Amino acid sequence: MAGTMGSVAGLTLITPRLSAEQRDRATVRLRQEQARAQRLAAQKRWQPKQGMTLQARAALRGRALAHRDQLRAQGKLLDTWDTLMTHAVRLELADRAWDVDWPPLPPDAPHASRWPGSRERGWQAKINARIPVSSYEQVQGGCYWTSAEAINAIRAWRDDHPDVVTEMDHPEAWARYEELALQVTTPGMVWRAAIDRVAGT
């Protein structure tokens, strides 16, 4: 499942399902970025000078935090799961040319629940990250509108084959299902591709 669990200040929580190896690689990248954030914070320009007033110290600390937040917003410092995933998803959307305003989703579009044709089972690990609602909506829109024809065909296939749940039940019918499923891009697939962008493959 790769759905949302509420939103705060324009962000929405996603819970991508990953392989354990993907999560481990992403965690290594996160730790590297956190160490870099510590080195940046320790730079001389952000250290209070002897004799500074409390007001001057507070102003310096404010400038340091603003600089850190600017680096995060620019994708130049990815020291939290939120910033790491936000940057990765934006890269993935741009590469797919999905960073556009998609038409509104129809009422029967899949949302957080299992998508028709989904291969979400078998992923052993997950992470939690908050990304901008706009990016989440672009992922949902891109997945649906590039997969809508296959999704509708899978639903029709399910109606025609209610008793077929594995290849053993009806190999020929199942082959058609597999063909259609390969034409569906789910949000989970996008989250995992995004993770690979920032964690390496």
Side-chain angles (χ1 to χ4, degrees):
M1 180 173 166
T4 63
M5 297 174 63
S7 60
V8 178
L11 301 176
T12 193
L13 182 64
I14 60 171
T15 307
R17 300 248 177 220
L18 313 168
S19 69
E21 190 263 343
Q22 269 182 315
R23 182 193 56 194
D24 290 347
R25 282 190 287 107
T27 300
V28 168
R29 174 67 189 275
L30 181 68
R31 298 290 179 258
Q32 292 170 341
E33 291 289 315
Q34 289 172 337
R36 194 162 70 86
Q38 291 177 348
R39 292 193 299 272
L40 289 171
Q43 287 178 345
K44 186 176 180 179
R45 62 175 166 158
W46 304 124
Q47 303 312 306
K49 295 178 176 60
Q50 188 173 4
M52 259 189 170
T53 65
L54 290 177
Q55 187 174 6
R57 285 172 180 266
L60 178 64
R61 185 166 54 251
R63 290 195 299 274
L65 292 176
H67 179 67
R68 180 203 64 186
D69 291 345
Q70 182 181 37
L71 291 176
R72 286 176 172 175
Q74 294 171 342
K76 295 178 180 178
L77 180 63
L78 310 176
D79 61 328
T80 68
W81 281 119
D82 295 352
T83 54
L84 189 77
M85 277 304 296
T86 293
H87 180 64
V89 169
R90 284 176 174 160
L91 291 176
E92 187 65 24
L93 285 166
D95 191 60
R96 293 172 182 261
W98 284 10
D99 49 349
V100 298
D101 292 329
W102 294 95
L105 299 182
D108 63 344
H111 290 285
S113 59
R114 186 174 169 81
W115 280 51
S118 171
R119 300 295 203 275
E120 291 300 301
R121 292 193 181 102
W123 300 101
Q124 314 97 313
K126 63 183 179 180
I127 62 171
N128 293 316
R130 291 171 301 174
I131 66 171
V133 171
S134 57
S135 293
Y136 175 80
E137 290 175 345
Q138 287 176 332
V139 170
Q140 292 288 321
C143 287
Y144 178 75
W145 290 112
T146 61
S147 306
E149 185 175 340
I151 287 171
N152 291 331
I154 287 172
R155 287 171 172 163
W157 183 94
R158 285 287 183 200
D159 289 339
D160 293 340
H161 304 89
D163 299 324
V164 179
V165 294
T166 71
E167 183 179 12
M168 300 297 292
D169 298 322
H170 194 308
E172 186 175 328
W174 189 256
R176 175 57 179 161
Y177 172 83
E178 291 286 321
E179 178 185 343
L180 292 170
L182 289 173
Q183 299 172 43
V184 175
T185 301
T186 68
M189 294 166 69
V190 177
W191 310 140
R192 286 186 288 276
I195 281 287
D196 282 340
R197 283 186 175 275
V198 294
T201 54

